[in-house]
Amino acid sequence: MKKSLLVLAIAGACLNAAHAQSSVTVYGDVDVGLVKKTDTTLAIGKRDSNALGFKGVEDLGGGLKALFQVEIRFEPDTGTLESVTRPLFQGQSRVGLQGDFGMLRLGRGVSALMESIQAFEPFHGLPTTTGFYTDVIVAGYTNQPLDAAGNSFNRMSNALFYNSPEFNGFQLNTTVATKEANSGIALIGRGTAALPQYPANAQASANPFSVSATYKSGPVAALAAYERNVVESKLWTLGASVIASGDIKLMADYSRQDRGHTLAANSKTKAWVIGVNYAIGAGKLLAGYGRKQPDGVVATREASIGYEHSLSKRSYIYVDASNKKAATAVRYYDVGIRHAF
Amino acid sequence: MKKSLLVLAIAGACLNAAHAQSSVTVYGDVDVGLVKKTDTTLAIGKRDSNALGFKGVEDLGGGLKALFQVEIRFEPDTGTLESVTRPLFQGQSRVGLQGDFGMLRLGRGVSALMESIQAFEPFHGLPTTTGFYTDVIVAGYTNQPLDAAGNSFNRMSNALFYNSPEFNGFQLNTTVATKEANSGIALIGRGTAALPQYPANAQASANPFSVSATYKSGPVAALAAYERNVVESKLWTLGASVIASGDIKLMADYSRQDRGHTLAANSKTKAWVIGVNYAIGAGKLLAGYGRKQPDGVVATREASIGYEHSLSKRSYIYVDASNKKAATAVRYYDVGIRHAF
Amino acid sequence: MKKSLLVLAIAGACLNAAHAQSSVTVYGDVDVGLVKKTDTTLAIGKRDSNALGFKGVEDLGGGLKALFQVEIRFEPDTGTLESVTRPLFQGQSRVGLQGDFGMLRLGRGVSALMESIQAFEPFHGLPTTTGFYTDVIVAGYTNQPLDAAGNSFNRMSNALFYNSPEFNGFQLNTTVATKEANSGIALIGRGTAALPQYPANAQASANPFSVSATYKSGPVAALAAYERNVVESKLWTLGASVIASGDIKLMADYSRQDRGHTLAANSKTKAWVIGVNYAIGAGKLLAGYGRKQPDGVVATREASIGYEHSLSKRSYIYVDASNKKAATAVRYYDVGIRHAF
């Protein structure tokens, strides 16, 4: 009898604890390290993006779920947001429904292509100089060049995001945005400074969209994706990866970009990257080589090697080195810690 | 014996879980929808305000409680704060005590009149174009015209908020703010551009305050409220509602505004709205008609209809249409989802 | 049998509750009060800083822990961040490891000297005018004068923080920052407006650092600390405190500052403060007297008295009065509430 009461009391206490916090998960990561770049002073910097986010899932019954997620991005070395022109919830701000039909969300987030491509890059999409994602694979392509300067290159605002269910290893993800203006900068393009192709706070000339198709079968994965941005630049990519043995993953990606709508000459860029991940006990070795060739400009070649050592499932320390050659060569080294929460 | 130990172990685990999160509740809502307005491109927008907040209540014993609440407001379609000139905690930032005497809070929040009036508007105070709260009932009156441009129209900073206990259905809420300057813009008023009535970063010429008296008795509710802002504009309102049957609520509100302290002519505005809410199973129909008549300016007439369909207690989808006529007519449609967390 | 199942069900519910929130603690404080200063209108203000933070500790096994902490600072009277030029995570943003070796963190936070000195000031480091921390003890010294104007005076960005373990009552804390530029303002110094000693976005001319050594033995504590900032200003301090009886703590601090690297004349400042804390039941009386003497400028003398009355471990109300005399005298009074969460 007394035990039952105790059990009930505990149950009550637990329910209260759960209640007090309703359904929100606070999550994020902090990644800080020492960074040294050719001809630059030793700095405290980052290797991964840093996030503080809030998310939740509500079970609506019948397999249907409501979900939301908002995510702050920040620089832990100075405590600031990623940039004064980036939104508070730079990471994402979305609400939607998930069910047998897949997942449908509205708001701001990483586009379908930009999200899918990260699995085919040896530094798993890290924004650091040692990775190939930002500067090589997508070759400086930016989703919203009519937004404020410095805004994100791989996200869409005012968008609808649809992820299909996985079907025999296939999945289709799509992002479509409205044409609405976002108080951004002018883009001269094929116009002149006096009469820019897109004046300040211009609308998109076509609805931006992004589509990615992925396929997974045992150790093999493949990607084909295409997107068009607010000024009708186009980007497509093909990627593939294979788990050669239990601890080795090989991967490659090829991308092409066409900015012909805003550039009269030298509007195309090709890029490719090959890479390997090699798991060694609690450690993982990352290595890759990539090349970016914009028309009429000297090619960029990058070779990078990195090592991540897990302290736990949520924390690892890392060390990286990379060499990037274009007109000049830049060497880059970092060592630091990343903690997810 | 073993069971007791298990029970204790569970109790310990629960206490730890409760401890880790102390006493803060993370809450908010995300509302995103498709929005179409006459002569404007289809947009991703909102119907309700979007919030991410943190609040807590501490029991001090003897019926006394300490409470705090801070609330971020944001735009989920772009991930930004509501406006670059609005504070981070635009929603509110308050701390106070609650007890038999009522509730006393200090900080920034919605004024007594502006909070009470929302129950007498058919779109429950939504800031959307389809609602009557922002543009019709309070007729463009703003609490802090000496703050930064674009700042909130219905909040007071540097204020003391007192809510009385309910007594036989009566409740009195009051807000009083200091005169202190808040680094805001100049207001020409009865002065000139060279010599504005209130220069930049001016103090209030009188203490702003807001008082609302509400009465509830069975199906009937009534409101009388008055407030004066930092530049001595005055606003008063009378509202009433009745629950005609279990699923029908009828409501009406009448407001008058006097800006004679800063305007030499056409300083008065009258406004009224009538509305109905009709609950149909998991759905709720909202409809209303309102009219705003500023002196010397053509009147604004608005008719709106909306429907909210609950997916759960925390999530609903909505669709609305409204027609607003002044010098020209604007039609407005939206469809979207709102999720509270 | 049934009881066991119930117990397991409860255990499951608890684990879920714990899971949903993973490992993040949301914490902070809100302090709002009425403030009156000579020749200034009555205002709503603060006595302590206001914070909303997120922190967590992960046990890595073997006595090793990973930890992170990010902290927003805000003004509850207006809902804004502390200043438009301060970072979102003005309080701190750090990640690191803790173990037998002490605690090592990277990011932004209060420097070793600035943190240690607060225990030797009768208003426990409060930033209010009634306290001695900001304006007297550290005498206007600022850590990062090359950052944006209005940025923090007592924090280091781009820094490494090391706290030693306590050893026979001794502890050594150190902070070292990189020289990297932080997009800040120019500092004329020994240059001219046309050719400032440090132009805008300048690097530090030497690595800023801060060292504090503290000693505790029974009722006695002592401090010796030294730091040098980004423009080679130097600050050192000596402090001591003694618990005279169970409810009386006496304390004193002496500081010197040398800005000779950027000032040709009058580069030195001396300051001292003496104080007492007296616990009376749920109350605590704080009193102190301090003097700041910059070379070639009239001295500032301040006398302050305050009283804090605990409503609980997390909430107290306070009242203070102070008199600060330099060229003119300023009297300052406040009364308010502080609630920690």
Side-chain angles (χ1 to χ4, degrees):
Chain A
M1 196 66 171
K2 271 188 173 170
K3 261 180 206 165
S4 298
L5 285 175
L6 182 55
V7 162
L8 287 174
I10 295 166
C14 285
L15 290 173
N16 282 339
H19 230 198
Q21 188 43 55
S22 78
S23 59
V24 182
T25 300
V26 181
Y27 71 93
D29 73 277
V30 190
D31 177 326
V32 187
L34 289 166
V35 165
K36 182 71 186 81
K37 206 170 165 173
T38 304
D39 294 332
T40 306
T41 190
L42 179 75
I44 303 277
K46 64 181 180 181
R47 181 189 192 241
D48 199 354
S49 299
N50 287 266
L52 170 64
F54 306 87
K55 64 182 176 184
V57 178
E58 183 194 14
D59 196 332
L60 300 172
L64 195 64
K65 290 171 182 171
L67 37 84
F68 86 96
Q69 190 162 2
V70 295
E71 189 177 306
I72 293 169
R73 286 292 183 86
F74 66 99
E75 306 290 7
D77 55 350
T78 56
T80 55
L81 291 179
E82 276 190 356
S83 150
V84 291
T85 59
R86 289 192 166 171
L88 179 66
F89 297 115
Q90 158 68 5
Q92 65 172 292
S93 60
R94 289 188 284 203
V95 62
L97 295 171
Q98 186 169 24
D100 294 340
F101 63 87
M103 179 163 59
L104 184 71
R105 289 173 294 175
L106 288 165
R108 171 184 170 87
V110 174
S111 76
L113 180 151
M114 293 287 188
E115 195 158 51
S116 306
I117 206 171
Q118 300 180 25
F120 300 89
E121 193 268 329
F123 284 75
H124 46 87
L126 291 176
T128 172
T129 302
T130 58
F132 299 85
Y133 175 47
T134 306
D135 190 37
V136 176
I137 299 192
V138 298
Y141 170 92
T142 172
N143 267 306
Q144 309 217 322
L146 299 181
D147 278 10
N151 217 312
S152 175
F153 77 100
N154 62 352
R155 283 169 173 80
M156 288 192 186
S157 284
N158 298 304
L160 183 152
F161 300 81
Y162 171 68
N163 294 10
S164 82
E166 203 176 296
F167 187 72
N168 286 342
F170 283 100
Q171 192 181 21
L172 196 75
N173 294 347
T174 58
T175 313
V176 185
T178 67
K179 294 184 197 174
E180 62 183 298
N182 198 11
S183 305
I185 54 171
L187 190 145
I188 292 177
R190 289 180 175 236
T192 61
L195 199 69
Q197 187 175 357
Y198 294 89
N201 197 29
Q203 288 190 6
S205 51
N207 281 94
F209 71 87
S210 182
V211 185
S212 81
T214 48
Y215 174 68
K216 281 180 201 166
S217 174
V220 174
L223 163 74
Y226 178 74
E227 76 176 55
R228 183 182 70 188
N229 75 5
V230 292
V231 297
E232 302 181 47
S233 293
K234 289 149 199 162
L235 176 67
W236 64 258
T237 191
L238 294 174
S241 71
V242 59
I243 296 175
S245 78
D247 46 17
I248 296 184
K249 180 186 172 190
L250 303 170
M251 69 205 83
D253 189 85
Y254 178 76
S255 305
R256 296 195 68 156
Q257 188 187 159
D258 180 353
R259 294 193 288 161
H261 187 74
T262 53
L263 289 182
N266 293 333
S267 63
K268 291 182 184 174
T269 301
K270 296 174 217 170
W272 56 263
V273 64
I274 52 171
V276 60
N277 288 174
Y278 179 22
I280 318 159
K284 186 158 74 167
L285 201 67
L286 319 164
Y289 183 82
R291 191 175 188 280
K292 170 174 79 168
Q293 176 65 66
D295 279 0
V297 178
V298 66
T300 297
R301 286 161 293 154
E302 178 182 342
S304 293
I305 188 161
Y307 177 72
E308 297 171 357
H309 188 86
S310 293
L311 304 174
S312 74
K313 281 192 180 176
R314 286 167 43 204
S315 302
Y316 62 78
I317 48 175
Y318 57 82
V319 55
D320 302 284
S322 81
N323 190 3
K324 194 180 283 195
K325 288 184 187 167
T328 57
V330 174
R331 288 193 182 172
Y332 187 93
Y333 308 92
D334 65 34
V335 53
I337 180 170
R338 182 188 187 277
H339 173 67
F341 55 90
Chain B
M1 196 63 173
K2 271 187 175 174
K3 263 180 207 165
S4 298
L5 285 175
L6 183 55
V7 163
L8 287 175
I10 296 166
C14 286
L15 290 173
N16 281 339
H19 230 198
Q21 188 43 56
S22 75
S23 59
V24 182
T25 302
V26 182
Y27 71 94
D29 74 277
V30 190
D31 178 326
V32 187
L34 289 165
V35 165
K36 182 70 186 83
K37 206 171 167 173
T38 303
D39 294 332
T40 306
T41 191
L42 179 75
I44 303 277
K46 65 180 181 182
R47 180 189 193 241
D48 199 354
S49 299
N50 287 267
L52 170 65
F54 306 86
K55 64 182 177 184
V57 177
E58 183 193 16
D59 195 333
L60 301 172
L64 196 64
K65 290 170 182 172
L67 37 83
F68 87 96
Q69 190 163 3
V70 295
E71 189 178 305
I72 293 170
R73 286 292 183 86
F74 66 99
E75 307 289 7
D77 55 350
T78 55
T80 55
L81 291 179
E82 277 190 355
S83 149
V84 292
T85 58
R86 289 191 167 172
L88 178 67
F89 296 114
Q90 157 69 5
Q92 66 173 291
S93 59
R94 290 188 283 205
V95 62
L97 294 171
Q98 187 169 23
D100 294 339
F101 63 89
M103 178 164 58
L104 185 70
R105 291 172 293 176
L106 288 164
R108 171 184 171 86
V110 173
S111 76
L113 180 150
M114 293 288 187
E115 195 157 53
S116 305
I117 206 172
Q118 300 182 22
F120 300 90
E121 193 269 331
F123 285 74
H124 45 87
L126 290 175
T128 173
T129 302
T130 59
F132 299 85
Y133 175 46
T134 306
D135 191 37
V136 176
I137 300 192
V138 299
Y141 169 93
T142 173
N143 267 306
Q144 309 218 322
L146 298 180
D147 278 11
N151 217 313
S152 175
F153 76 101
N154 63 353
R155 283 170 173 80
M156 287 192 186
S157 284
N158 298 304
L160 182 152
F161 301 80
Y162 171 68
N163 295 10
S164 82
E166 204 177 294
F167 187 71
N168 287 342
F170 282 99
Q171 193 181 21
L172 196 74
N173 294 348
T174 58
T175 313
V176 185
T178 67
K179 296 186 197 173
E180 63 183 298
N182 197 12
S183 305
I185 55 172
L187 190 145
I188 293 176
R190 290 180 175 235
T192 60
L195 201 67
Q197 188 176 355
Y198 294 90
N201 196 28
Q203 287 191 6
S205 51
N207 281 93
F209 70 88
S210 182
V211 184
S212 82
T214 48
Y215 174 68
K216 281 180 200 165
S217 174
V220 174
L223 163 74
Y226 178 76
E227 75 176 58
R228 183 182 70 188
N229 74 6
V230 291
V231 297
E232 302 181 49
S233 293
K234 290 149 198 160
L235 175 69
W236 63 258
T237 191
L238 295 174
S241 70
V242 59
I243 296 174
S245 78
D247 46 17
I248 296 183
K249 181 187 173 189
L250 302 170
M251 67 206 83
D253 190 85
Y254 178 77
S255 304
R256 294 196 69 157
Q257 188 187 160
D258 180 355
R259 294 192 288 161
H261 188 75
T262 53
L263 289 180
N266 293 332
S267 64
K268 291 182 183 174
T269 301
K270 297 174 215 168
W272 56 263
V273 64
I274 53 170
V276 60
N277 287 175
Y278 179 22
I280 318 160
K284 186 159 74 166
L285 201 69
L286 320 164
Y289 183 83
R291 191 174 187 282
K292 171 175 79 169
Q293 176 65 66
D295 279 358
V297 178
V298 65
T300 298
R301 287 161 294 154
E302 178 182 342
S304 293
I305 188 160
Y307 177 71
E308 297 171 355
H309 188 87
S310 292
L311 304 174
S312 74
K313 282 192 180 174
R314 285 167 42 204
S315 301
Y316 62 78
I317 49 176
Y318 58 82
V319 56
D320 302 284
S322 81
N323 190 3
K324 194 180 283 195
K325 287 184 186 164
T328 57
V330 174
R331 289 192 181 172
Y332 185 92
Y333 307 92
D334 65 34
V335 52
I337 180 169
R338 182 189 188 277
H339 173 68
F341 53 89
Chain C
M1 196 65 171
K2 272 187 174 171
K3 261 181 208 164
S4 296
L5 285 175
L6 181 56
V7 162
L8 286 175
I10 295 165
C14 286
L15 289 173
N16 282 338
H19 230 199
Q21 189 43 55
S22 75
S23 58
V24 182
T25 301
V26 181
Y27 72 94
D29 73 278
V30 190
D31 177 325
V32 187
L34 288 166
V35 164
K36 183 71 187 83
K37 206 170 167 174
T38 304
D39 294 332
T40 306
T41 191
L42 179 74
I44 303 276
K46 65 181 182 181
R47 180 188 193 243
D48 199 353
S49 299
N50 287 266
L52 169 65
F54 305 87
K55 65 182 176 184
V57 178
E58 183 193 15
D59 195 332
L60 301 171
L64 195 63
K65 290 171 183 172
L67 36 83
F68 87 96
Q69 190 162 3
V70 295
E71 190 177 306
I72 293 170
R73 286 292 182 87
F74 66 99
E75 306 289 7
D77 55 350
T78 55
T80 55
L81 292 180
E82 276 190 357
S83 150
V84 292
T85 59
R86 288 192 167 172
L88 178 67
F89 297 115
Q90 157 68 6
Q92 65 173 292
S93 59
R94 289 189 282 204
V95 62
L97 294 171
Q98 187 168 23
D100 294 339
F101 62 88
M103 178 163 58
L104 185 69
R105 289 172 294 175
L106 288 165
R108 171 183 170 87
V110 173
S111 76
L113 180 150
M114 293 288 186
E115 194 157 52
S116 306
I117 206 172
Q118 300 181 24
F120 300 89
E121 192 268 332
F123 285 74
H124 44 90
L126 291 176
T128 174
T129 302
T130 57
F132 299 85
Y133 175 46
T134 307
D135 190 37
V136 177
I137 300 192
V138 300
Y141 170 92
T142 172
N143 267 306
Q144 308 217 323
L146 299 181
D147 278 10
N151 217 315
S152 175
F153 77 100
N154 63 352
R155 284 170 172 80
M156 288 192 186
S157 284
N158 297 305
L160 183 152
F161 301 81
Y162 171 69
N163 294 10
S164 82
E166 205 176 294
F167 187 71
N168 287 342
F170 283 100
Q171 191 182 21
L172 195 74
N173 294 347
T174 57
T175 313
V176 185
T178 66
K179 295 184 197 174
E180 63 184 297
N182 198 13
S183 306
I185 54 172
L187 191 145
I188 293 176
R190 290 182 174 233
T192 61
L195 200 68
Q197 188 174 356
Y198 294 88
N201 196 30
Q203 288 190 6
S205 52
N207 281 93
F209 70 87
S210 182
V211 185
S212 81
T214 48
Y215 174 69
K216 282 179 200 164
S217 175
V220 174
L223 163 75
Y226 178 75
E227 76 176 56
R228 182 182 71 187
N229 73 7
V230 292
V231 297
E232 302 180 48
S233 292
K234 289 149 199 161
L235 176 68
W236 63 258
T237 191
L238 294 174
S241 70
V242 59
I243 295 175
S245 78
D247 46 17
I248 297 183
K249 181 187 171 190
L250 303 169
M251 68 205 85
D253 190 85
Y254 177 77
S255 304
R256 294 197 68 158
Q257 188 187 161
D258 180 353
R259 295 192 288 159
H261 187 74
T262 54
L263 289 181
N266 293 333
S267 64
K268 292 184 183 172
T269 301
K270 296 175 216 170
W272 55 262
V273 63
I274 53 170
V276 61
N277 288 174
Y278 179 23
I280 318 157
K284 187 158 74 167
L285 201 68
L286 320 164
Y289 183 83
R291 192 175 187 281
K292 170 175 79 169
Q293 176 66 67
D295 279 359
V297 178
V298 64
T300 298
R301 285 161 294 153
E302 177 182 342
S304 293
I305 189 161
Y307 177 70
E308 297 171 357
H309 188 86
S310 293
L311 305 174
S312 74
K313 282 193 178 174
R314 287 168 40 204
S315 302
Y316 62 77
I317 49 177
Y318 57 82
V319 56
D320 303 285
S322 80
N323 191 4
K324 195 180 283 196
K325 288 185 186 164
T328 58
V330 173
R331 288 191 183 176
Y332 185 92
Y333 308 92
D334 64 34
V335 52
I337 180 169
R338 183 188 187 278
H339 172 68
F341 54 89

